[in-house]
Amino acid sequence: MAAILDKDLDSLLRIRDVSGSFTLVRAEETPFTTMVKKGMKPKSSLYEWPIRDRYAPEDSAVADGEEVGAGEIQNNEGNKTMLQGRIQKGRVAYGVGDIAEALGNEYAVNGGLLADNAMDALCKSRENLEVTALKTTDSQADAGAGTPGKLRGLANWIRAANPGSPDLPVPAMGLVPAGHIHAAASEAVVTEDDFRAVMRSIATTARKKGSWDVYVNPAMKEVITGWVRTADGLAATSAPLRSFNAQQSDTKITFEVLFYESDFGKLRIHTHYSLPAGVFALV
């Protein structure tokens, strides 16, 4: 009788050798919603933040014994206003039939198909929140089926003026000074001076230096790290602006920028792989 060779085995009868766990194609990414300060649970579909400004200082002098005139009296009501925003409800629907749940055993799935689907749905819910929080679109009132309520994304709050017919216009006091915003056609044309100008604008408006988290896309991160390079593309007469004596080994090059400190504050730089289209950096 002839021997059975491996090639002769019936594939329908052969036991397959399959790994007991999935290899993930990519990691979950929610840096902003993980790091951002959390507030109280909203008590209304419209939520509000009181904000206030300070009086502009001026040189004042009065004569000794001079009475207070009616024209001198002021109050701070004009220095206070309210920012308004909306909540947004989201969901990720999933379902598994009872027969599939009872009999649908799959490789690398532990605990049943329903639990496996719930795990991925929860991951998508968290990533959906990340996208929603950072988006460039405006808020929207809930008008029923087909027109759900939407919150205003962080990138849309960054406005120097209200666009035509916005939802819940931002009061003038809450608008972002134009110097806080830098428009660029691509990451490649954003310079160190552009970042410094934004930091200077923030410090000048707030009257203090800050320590800021900055989310940048991969291309922008490469540009920032490139600020410390001194060789590629420089003319022969150019001199490096910085000199580093970082200890290196014969087999390792360390080349990464995670912090940037200037006259106007400190930036902590985080690479973000799903910023809104056209947004290279969010401070």
Side-chain angles (χ1 to χ4, degrees):
M1 183 175 181
I4 298 177
L5 303 178
D6 184 76
K7 66 181 180 62
D8 300 321
L9 294 177
D10 190 331
S11 60
L12 293 176
L13 300 175
R14 185 169 187 163
I15 296 175
R16 294 161 59 195
D17 187 5
V18 179
S19 172
S21 61
F22 284 99
T23 299
L24 286 173
V25 175
R26 69 170 180 86
E28 183 179 351
E29 187 194 23
T30 58
F32 175 77
T33 49
T34 298
M35 295 174 62
V36 72
K37 182 180 178 181
K38 309 303 188 293
M40 297 183 296
K41 179 180 178 181
K43 300 178 177 65
S44 170
S45 57
L46 180 72
Y47 54 94
E48 301 173 281
W49 307 270
I51 65 170
R52 68 190 306 161
D53 200 356
R54 296 191 183 276
Y55 289 120
E58 58 186 16
D59 179 34
S60 63
V62 294
D64 186 26
E66 182 178 337
E67 295 290 336
V68 174
E72 292 183 82
I73 298 173
Q74 54 188 334
N75 65 71
N76 66 356
E77 283 303 298
N79 293 340
K80 297 179 285 189
T81 190
M82 193 75 73
L83 294 180
Q84 296 179 312
R86 302 188 187 279
I87 66 165
Q88 178 171 328
K89 175 184 175 181
R91 69 183 176 202
V92 176
Y94 63 95
V96 176
D98 54 351
I99 295 178
E101 175 66 8
L103 304 177
N105 297 318
E106 291 184 344
Y107 287 112
V109 172
N110 299 308
L113 294 176
L114 190 64
D116 187 64
N117 274 267
M119 180 176 62
D120 278 349
L122 183 60
C123 177
K124 184 177 181 181
S125 295
R126 291 191 292 260
E127 293 197 307
N128 284 357
L129 180 58
E130 182 84 359
V131 170
T132 297
L134 298 177
K135 65 184 179 179
T136 58
T137 52
D138 203 355
S139 57
Q140 173 179 286
D142 188 345
T147 310
K150 295 182 179 181
L151 62 78
R152 176 178 293 146
L154 177 61
N156 192 272
W157 278 103
I158 303 174
R159 57 171 71 168
N162 287 303
S165 303
D167 181 55
L168 303 176
V170 178
M173 193 186 304
L175 291 170
V176 176
H180 287 32
I181 304 170
H182 179 74
S186 71
E187 301 90 338
V189 298
V190 180
T191 67
E192 181 179 354
D193 285 344
D194 295 329
F195 265 80
R196 288 171 57 82
V198 169
M199 295 174 72
R200 182 178 68 249
S201 177
I202 294 172
T204 301
T205 301
R207 299 293 195 271
K208 63 181 293 186
K209 296 200 303 185
S211 184
W212 312 105
D213 287 295
V214 186
Y215 300 93
V216 298
N217 67 15
M220 190 70 250
K221 183 61 170 63
E222 285 189 315
V223 169
I224 292 172
T225 299
W227 293 344
V228 302
R229 300 189 71 167
T230 59
D232 293 355
L234 291 180
T237 56
S238 298
L241 296 176
R242 298 182 176 91
S243 177
F244 295 94
N245 293 316
Q247 198 158 17
Q248 306 279 352
S249 72
D250 292 335
T251 59
K252 178 181 178 182
I253 295 176
T254 301
F255 193 61
E256 183 178 25
V257 174
L258 297 177
F259 299 94
Y260 181 89
E261 294 189 52
S262 80
D263 297 322
F264 308 109
K266 177 189 290 186
L267 302 181
R268 294 183 295 266
I269 301 164
H270 312 276
T271 305
H272 199 299
Y273 295 95
S274 51
L275 288 179
V279 176
F280 311 139
L282 281 174
V283 182

